[in-house]
Amino acid sequence: TQTVSQSDAHVTVFEGDSVELRCNYSYGGSIYLSWYIQHHGRGLQFLLKYYSGNPVVQGVNGFEAEFSKSDSSFHLRKASVHWSDSAVYFCAASPGSALGRLHFGAGTQLIVIP
Amino acid sequence: NAGVIQTPRHKVTGKGQEATLWCEPISGHSAVFWYRQTIVQGLEFLTYFRNQAPIDDSGMPKERFSAQMPNQSHSTLKIQSTQPQDSAVYLCASSPRTGGNYAEQFFGPGTRLTVL
């Protein structure tokens, strides 16, 4: 079974703290991994993606993610969060065998306390 | 660039009625995707088109759902005989295919469908 797992439904931090949102995947073969952010009542916005090369990829607004094949993970990090980072974050996978469709995790709601 | 446009933003139908949802992708993007989002099921893939041709409709409920892309400027998702379980936010996304994949997708604001 091909899955994307986000183990934390909610994460709460204070403004200025660092944060890591976890994502694990279960797929065989090549895979594209990406992160999206969804603010309340809005569509999803792309943050970053990884396929190959440097396992640490940089995204918009200071976000970065690190791919680990051994851990089957693609965790998202930010060194210093702002209250406007409060949103739901989705990890997504696009298997190389079915280019196009995204398989999403359940999402992690990040709450940043000012 | 107005981004992906979806109309209507909200639609309320009675059980058994038809609903048609519209999507205008970003100009120049070669792929259009439809997803459905609910609290219980999360984000589910429905179907996608590449250069207007249907490529993968494996996520579509077969009997009442259909999607078309008659030209490069819009796609429609039609639900016949709507049922309460069809209530969801329907998201359309388009993608320009960068690096040989569509992992970077641009989403519209969604259409919230409520079936009474």
Side-chain angles (χ1 to χ4, degrees):
Chain A
T1 302
Q2 300 174 335
T3 61
V4 177
S5 300
Q6 294 181 247
S7 55
D8 299 315
H10 302 90
V11 172
T12 301
V13 297
F14 288 94
E15 194 168 37
D17 285 351
S18 62
V19 70
E20 179 178 86
L21 305 182
R22 293 179 291 184
C23 172
N24 291 88
Y25 63 91
S26 174
Y27 286 94
S30 61
I31 188 170
Y32 293 87
L33 292 161
S34 51
W35 276 95
Y36 286 79
I37 180 175
Q38 185 177 35
H39 287 102
H40 181 69
R42 302 178 65 177
L44 280 74
Q45 180 182 353
F46 173 81
L47 284 178
L48 47 77
K49 71 178 178 183
Y50 172 82
Y51 177 65
S52 64
N54 189 335
V56 179
V57 291
Q58 305 294 323
V60 298
N61 296 333
F63 286 97
E64 68 174 30
E66 183 167 5
F67 170 77
S68 171
K69 186 174 183 178
S70 60
D71 294 338
S72 297
S73 67
F74 189 55
H75 301 329
L76 181 70
R77 300 191 296 248
K78 187 169 183 177
S80 178
V81 294
H82 186 265
W83 65 266
S84 60
D85 293 325
S86 296
V88 181
Y89 291 77
F90 291 95
C91 181
S94 179
S97 61
L99 290 176
R101 62 181 298 175
L102 294 175
H103 297 258
F104 287 94
T108 296
Q109 181 168 20
L110 175 64
I111 299 169
V112 180
I113 301 172
Chain B
N1 189 337
V4 175
I5 298 171
Q6 291 190 251
T7 55
R9 291 294 308 276
H10 303 273
K11 186 171 183 65
V12 179
T13 65
K15 183 179 176 181
Q17 292 183 328
E18 182 179 287
T20 299
L21 313 180
W22 294 72
C23 171
E24 180 178 331
I26 294 172
S27 177
H29 284 191
S30 56
V32 171
F33 301 82
W34 285 95
Y35 297 88
R36 177 168 64 180
Q37 184 174 28
T38 61
I39 297 296
V40 174
Q41 298 295 330
L43 282 156
E44 302 175 283
F45 167 81
L46 293 175
T47 185
Y48 97 92
F49 299 84
R50 185 170 67 225
N51 296 323
Q52 299 173 232
I55 300 300
D56 180 357
D57 67 352
S58 58
M60 293 276 275
K62 295 303 181 188
E63 293 186 349
R64 298 181 295 104
F65 284 61
S66 63
Q68 294 182 324
M69 191 164 184
N71 56 60
Q72 63 185 6
S73 63
H74 87 274
S75 175
T76 58
L77 179 67
K78 182 180 293 185
I79 309 171
Q80 296 178 311
S81 185
T82 54
Q83 303 298 309
Q85 61 265 31
D86 298 331
S87 296
V89 176
Y90 290 83
L91 294 167
C92 176
S94 68
S95 180
R97 186 162 183 169
T98 54
N101 71 89
Y102 294 113
E104 181 176 355
Q105 298 181 12
F106 296 75
F107 284 78
T111 294
R112 180 175 297 277
L113 175 67
T114 303
V115 182
L116 301 175

